[in-house]
Amino acid sequence: MENNTDHSEHLTPITVQEVDVDFLPIVYEIIRSVERDFHDNTAKVRESQDCSLKVLDLQKKLDFARSQIKRLPGIEFNKQDQLKQFEILQTQLRLKRELLQKYRNMCSFETSFK
């Protein structure tokens, strides 16, 4: 039995809207803490520790986003396969629209003779 540490394959798929990619607030906080100029060494050390924690938070958030992205349906296909599938779906949509239009025309034709 293989010991697979990546359990994201066994989770249910999610939608793109559910993926949490809101990194800007954390990045902003990191940049703000780096730009501050403290004259007191203890304040510099404290701010450096806070910045390190924020970087770790960002890393966790990035890792979580990666795990969510792996759960998106179709992510396992390369671009060429995705384009091929898209063409197939477009063709199916066109054919179904044509069938609906024929049905509508047939229904309107039958009602005109009643």
Side-chain angles (χ1 to χ4, degrees):
M1 182 184 228
E2 184 179 318
N3 186 9
N4 188 358
T5 57
D6 184 16
H7 300 291
S8 63
E9 296 172 8
H10 304 292
L11 299 175
T12 58
I14 62 173
T15 63
V16 174
Q17 291 80 12
E18 293 174 303
V19 177
D20 182 13
V21 290
D22 190 20
F23 307 121
L24 282 180
I26 297 174
V27 172
Y28 174 75
E29 288 295 322
I30 292 169
I31 291 171
R32 244 184 63 205
S33 63
V34 170
E35 287 179 337
R36 291 187 189 140
D37 186 23
F38 293 99
H39 300 291
D40 182 17
N41 280 341
T42 57
K44 284 182 185 180
V45 169
R46 190 175 353 99
E47 189 62 33
S48 175
Q49 290 171 344
D50 287 346
C51 186
S52 295
L53 290 174
K54 290 173 188 169
V55 170
L56 286 174
D57 286 344
L58 178 61
Q59 183 62 45
K60 287 178 189 175
K61 193 158 182 112
L62 288 169
D63 290 341
F64 183 68
R66 281 188 198 100
S67 71
Q68 286 184 313
I69 289 170
K70 288 178 184 177
R71 293 172 47 200
L72 289 172
I75 198 74
E76 67 274 6
F77 300 114
N78 63 27
K79 182 178 180 177
Q80 194 173 20
D81 291 339
Q82 288 177 354
L83 289 173
K84 195 181 301 181
Q85 182 67 21
F86 181 68
E87 287 177 28
I88 290 168
L89 291 172
Q90 275 187 318
T91 302
Q92 288 177 357
L93 178 63
R94 183 180 48 79
L95 291 172
K96 288 178 181 182
R97 283 182 175 162
E98 289 173 4
L99 283 172
L100 278 172
Q101 189 59 43
K102 286 180 184 179
Y103 178 76
R104 286 181 186 145
N105 290 342
M106 191 181 342
C107 287
S108 66
F109 180 75
E110 288 176 358
T111 56
S112 66
F113 282 109
K114 288 185 178 181

